[in-house]
Amino acid sequence: MSILRSHGVIDMELSRMESSLKKQSEHILIVDDEEAIREILTDFLEENGDFCYVPSNANEALSSLTANPITLVISDIKMPGMDGIEFMKEAKQFFPDLDFMIMTGYASDYSYTNIINAGATDYMTKPFKLEELKAKMERIKRERRLLNELKEGNRALKLAIDKANLMSIKAETANLELDQ
């Protein structure tokens, strides 16, 4: 194989790998009124190959949800204007399957149960270790993948049942025709 042709193969393989990486990467909406938190999270997540969108408040975040392919929202609870729980409830009306990780520095004001029951996928108290965030994100991705596999399996099963029902109807029709 010539050098030019082998470079073309390598370029195609790199392009395929980049495309695959983009599909595996999270598109994360980071919503926090503290710029330092947004910067730390963005730097960490982008170093790990994720794409970040960083509005500073819930109203901007709602606009970002409609304009970008968000797969995960990391939101503070206490923010000026709309708080993180209100934001999550509003967003879930339009994006019910969107994963939310809620964070707060006011752990005594909120219970894990209340936050999860409000619709969050997970919860963290500030300050937290970035390794903890990464572990929680990996669990969320794993659960999302399993849920998608389950949904796909259910779709395939429904199609198989529909096909079997159709074949049964055809067989019954053919049997009735033979009886006549």
Side-chain angles (χ1 to χ4, degrees):
M1 181 181 284
S2 75
I3 291 177
L4 288 177
R5 284 183 55 203
S6 67
H7 282 299
V9 170
I10 292 170
D11 288 343
M12 286 179 10
E13 183 63 19
L14 284 173
S15 176
R16 187 187 63 75
M17 290 169 66
E18 285 174 357
S19 176
S20 175
L21 263 177
K22 282 185 179 179
K23 289 179 186 173
Q24 294 173 2
S25 298
E26 292 288 322
H27 290 258
I28 303 169
L29 187 65
I30 300 169
V31 190
D32 198 306
D33 57 322
E34 294 180 51
E35 185 175 351
I37 297 289
R38 292 192 314 265
E39 286 178 6
I40 290 168
L41 290 176
T42 299
D43 290 345
F44 176 73
L45 295 168
E46 287 181 346
E47 283 175 13
N48 284 292
D50 295 314
F51 301 95
C52 296
Y53 308 88
V54 287
S56 61
N57 62 56
N59 288 322
E60 289 176 16
L62 287 171
S63 296
S64 290
L65 283 174
T66 58
N68 300 293
I70 305 300
T71 55
L72 174 66
V73 175
I74 300 174
S75 178
D76 192 16
I77 291 180
K78 292 233 182 202
M79 296 183 287
M82 185 186 309
D83 74 18
I85 300 294
E86 290 175 69
F87 162 60
M88 179 177 59
K89 288 178 179 178
E90 180 79 19
K92 288 262 189 190
Q93 289 180 19
F94 301 99
F95 305 96
D97 295 331
L98 186 59
D99 291 312
F100 270 80
M101 186 174 311
I102 298 293
M103 57 185 176
T104 187
Y106 302 92
S108 61
D109 295 347
Y110 302 95
S111 77
Y112 179 85
T113 306
N114 290 341
I115 291 169
I116 297 301
N117 288 342
T121 309
D122 212 335
Y123 167 74
M124 292 189 314
T125 56
K126 295 179 190 176
F128 54 85
K129 293 184 179 325
L130 293 173
E131 293 78 27
E132 178 186 358
L133 170 66
K134 187 174 183 177
K136 288 176 178 274
M137 287 179 58
E138 290 301 319
R139 182 192 54 78
I140 290 169
K141 280 176 159 177
R142 193 172 44 254
E143 287 177 2
R144 185 186 312 130
R145 181 181 47 78
L146 291 171
L147 183 61
N148 287 337
E149 288 174 6
L150 183 60
K151 286 178 180 179
E152 186 57 39
N154 285 342
R155 274 192 290 273
L157 182 59
K158 184 182 180 332
L159 283 173
I161 289 170
D162 290 346
K163 185 176 180 179
N165 286 338
L166 183 61
M167 290 173 64
S168 173
I169 291 169
K170 285 182 180 180
E172 191 174 313
T173 302
N175 201 18
L176 287 173
E177 288 175 358
L178 286 175
D179 287 344
Q180 290 179 0

